[in-house]
Amino acid sequence: MRRTTAIAKCLLVSLLALLMSLSWPNTVSAGFNVWTSNGPEGGSILALAINPQTPAIIYAGTDVGGVFKSTDSGTSWSAINNGLTNPYVWALAIDPQTPAIIYAGTYGGGVFKSTNGGASWSAFNNGLTNTDVIALAINPQTPAIIYAGTYGGVFKSTNGGASWSAINDGLTNTIVLTLAINPQTPAIIYAGTWGGGVFKSTDGGVSWSAFNNGLTNTVVPTLSLDPQTP
């Protein structure tokens, strides 16, 4: 009986602490730690892409609302889903040389492409045998070369998404969550997987090898390369 009472008291104290934390006014210091939510209201935001030539133009991919676009650095947003038949957008990539060209990776709908800044979209899935596209990466020196990370491994296009081929030799885990390309040597690509850690290719995806020495958690949802020392 005493033990039950003690447990009940502990639970009550924990509940009171939680309620106090929720009701207590939040205070933040002015400066770089202050964030403000500006939308869009279209579901959870899973992807963001910034126009490299006009940074005020931003695209957001959502899990139920498709793609949203802002032309004023995120102050306001508009849905841009004409032709986008799948609203579950998990990845976005902008052509660095021609920013009006945008690719959207969707969950279950494959890859969609826009050539007019998102005003309209068309499916580009020829050869893409797995349409759960979680990651996209564009070769910065040759933007017609695109990589798609899917639940069925990595696919590559050399013609702007017109056709795709699987490139999974050596990739022992094919649930690919993220991709990163060496900007100085684009033939070097990294793939983060669900449960298989990180894989690296030095030949444009022709072959892959696991690079997990010291990586104690093999679920890798994101990767980033040092821009000066990739």
Side-chain angles (χ1 to χ4, degrees):
M1 184 69 177
R2 290 180 180 176
R3 183 180 179 184
T4 303
T5 302
I7 294 174
K9 288 182 177 179
C10 289
L11 290 174
L12 179 59
V13 170
S14 298
L15 178 60
L16 289 173
L18 175 61
L19 292 174
M20 288 177 66
S21 68
L22 292 175
S23 60
W24 197 264
N26 293 321
T27 58
V28 294
S29 299
F32 66 89
N33 281 332
V34 178
W35 293 79
T36 302
S37 176
N38 288 331
E41 301 300 330
S44 298
I45 296 173
L46 304 178
L48 286 171
I50 298 175
N51 184 313
Q53 297 179 13
T54 309
I57 298 177
I58 311 169
Y59 300 89
T62 70
D63 65 346
V64 293
V67 179
F68 287 76
K69 181 179 182 179
S70 173
T71 58
D72 52 15
S73 300
T75 300
S76 60
W77 297 86
S78 300
I80 50 168
N81 294 324
N82 182 28
L84 190 72
T85 55
N86 188 299
Y88 302 97
V89 179
W90 287 50
L92 290 169
I94 299 176
D95 185 316
Q97 298 180 12
T98 310
I101 297 177
I102 313 157
Y103 299 88
T106 67
Y107 186 77
V111 175
F112 288 80
K113 180 178 181 179
S114 174
T115 59
N116 51 16
S120 61
W121 300 87
S122 299
F124 273 65
N125 292 328
N126 183 27
L128 195 68
T129 56
N130 190 296
T131 55
D132 296 329
V133 179
I134 311 302
L136 290 169
I138 297 177
N139 182 315
Q141 298 179 12
T142 310
I145 298 176
I146 313 159
Y147 300 89
T150 76
Y151 277 7
V154 179
F155 290 79
K156 181 179 182 178
S157 174
T158 59
N159 51 16
S163 61
W164 299 88
S165 299
I167 50 169
N168 294 324
D169 185 24
L171 195 70
T172 55
N173 187 301
T174 56
I175 302 179
V176 178
L177 304 178
T178 183
L179 294 168
I181 297 178
N182 184 317
Q184 297 176 10
T185 310
I188 298 177
I189 314 160
Y190 299 87
T193 67
W194 181 278
V198 177
F199 289 80
K200 180 180 180 179
S201 174
T202 59
D203 51 18
V206 174
S207 60
W208 299 86
S209 299
F211 270 65
N212 291 325
N213 184 25
L215 193 67
T216 55
N217 190 313
T218 55
V219 177
V220 182
T222 186
L223 288 169
S224 182
L225 300 183
D226 185 309
Q228 296 182 359
T229 309

